[in-house]
Amino acid sequence: MSADFDDALGLVRTQELLAAGRYMGIDQMWGTQVDFGFSKTKEEAFENWGHDRVLYDAVRAVRLYRPLVVTAVFLGGITDGHGQHQVSGEMAQEVFDAAGDPKVFPDQIAAGLMPWSPLKVYGRVPFFSVTSKGMYDYATGKYAPARFYNYVTKEWTTESPKANVTVPEGDYSPVLGMTYLQFARMGLGLQKSQNGGMGIPAAGRFDVGYHRYGARLQDGAQPGEEEKGFFDGVDTSLVGMSSLAPGETSF
């Protein structure tokens, strides 16, 4: 929703994203891929970007930030809405193993980054509903059979991913003075060229489910089917976190 195009629009969008990041208090990392515009399919996005080039940036981010848990809005399939979303979902799962493998992008290791293996990885349950007709494919404008792929276990399933963690985004935060969903929508509203600003929803229950695609917990512990939060079973103490990087001395 802007009169700007090409590089001018890119400058506007960049500043909007930075403004949203400042509002929400987050760190943003930018990929090295050039935004080529709207993409309907994952194949089209990879054709322009290259699979390994996208994975390279994701692996670098994980090795640099060393997250205990990786979460994603998307899951790498056509229910994500369009191709660039699908790429995002696939990368979030593939980086779960790739970042911890020293044979993957060894130039990063030579430059001083160390392998890092997150303990769990989640993706939001399908963004668009699965109906009796299957999943709606935005590339073809038709419905496709309901099939979902786990990029960690390399397995297909016809069952829609179930929520292992439910995030109560509608809960009120006394620190923020609003619900978490309201806070998020205000941040999204700073991206005015994308959507013209966002309406702020009324306070109320708004639960969002996340499916666990992989886990490697300490001491062989296994997470339950239903978890209270993303860090269930994870030792988040300083001692617990330091045990994940044996021999590390830089911090």
Side-chain angles (χ1 to χ4, degrees):
M1 301 183 67
S2 170
D4 298 297
F5 293 94
D6 302 319
D7 290 351
L9 179 59
L11 290 172
V12 171
R13 293 287 294 128
T14 298
Q15 293 304 317
E16 289 176 343
L17 286 166
L18 289 172
R22 288 191 296 268
Y23 170 79
M24 292 184 283
I26 62 172
D27 292 335
Q28 293 184 72
M29 296 194 69
W30 302 88
T32 57
Q33 301 76 33
V34 175
D35 189 351
F36 59 89
F38 187 79
S39 166
K40 286 188 175 182
T41 68
K42 183 172 62 175
E43 290 73 21
E44 181 185 5
F46 276 138
E47 184 179 349
N48 280 272
W49 287 342
H51 172 278
D52 286 356
R53 184 177 178 183
V54 185
L55 183 61
Y56 185 95
D57 289 341
V59 167
R60 182 178 180 274
V62 167
R63 288 174 175 172
L64 183 64
Y65 273 76
R66 298 180 172 183
L68 298 178
V69 175
V70 173
T71 66
V73 171
F74 305 113
L75 50 81
I78 61 176
T79 56
D80 291 342
H82 66 70
Q84 293 155 343
H85 288 174
Q86 295 175 41
V87 168
S88 172
E90 178 176 334
M91 290 298 105
Q93 293 181 41
E94 290 189 0
V95 79
F96 180 68
D97 287 327
D101 186 347
K103 297 178 182 178
V104 175
F105 308 130
D107 62 309
Q108 295 182 0
I109 308 300
L113 293 178
M114 297 297 291
W116 183 259
S117 298
L119 298 181
K120 293 196 285 185
V121 58
Y122 298 85
R124 182 171 173 164
V125 296
F127 212 63
F128 293 95
S129 61
V130 179
T131 70
S132 58
K133 294 188 292 185
M135 305 184 299
Y136 185 71
D137 189 339
Y138 284 78
T140 63
K142 300 178 180 179
Y143 282 89
R147 297 181 72 223
F148 299 92
Y149 191 65
N150 184 320
Y151 293 91
V152 177
T153 64
K154 308 295 189 295
E155 296 174 326
W156 284 96
T157 180
T158 57
E159 295 185 7
S160 182
K162 301 295 191 296
N164 299 107
V165 171
T166 299
V167 180
E169 295 183 8
D171 281 7
Y172 177 82
S173 166
V175 175
L176 298 174
M178 64 186 84
T179 70
Y180 296 102
L181 179 61
Q182 290 171 333
F183 176 77
R185 291 289 173 82
M186 290 179 70
L188 181 59
L190 294 173
Q191 302 180 51
K192 296 186 185 302
S193 69
Q194 182 179 16
N195 50 44
M198 296 292 294
I200 306 302
R205 183 170 179 172
F206 192 86
D207 293 340
V208 176
Y210 283 82
H211 179 75
R212 185 183 63 247
Y213 285 89
R216 55 168 75 86
L217 296 181
Q218 298 153 287
D219 302 322
Q222 294 297 321
E225 284 302 307
E226 292 188 10
E227 303 175 83
K228 294 180 180 179
F230 293 127
F231 296 98
D232 274 18
V234 177
D235 185 351
T236 57
S237 68
L238 290 176
V239 173
M241 289 187 286
S242 66
S243 69
L244 300 174
E248 174 64 66
T249 59
S250 63
F251 64 88

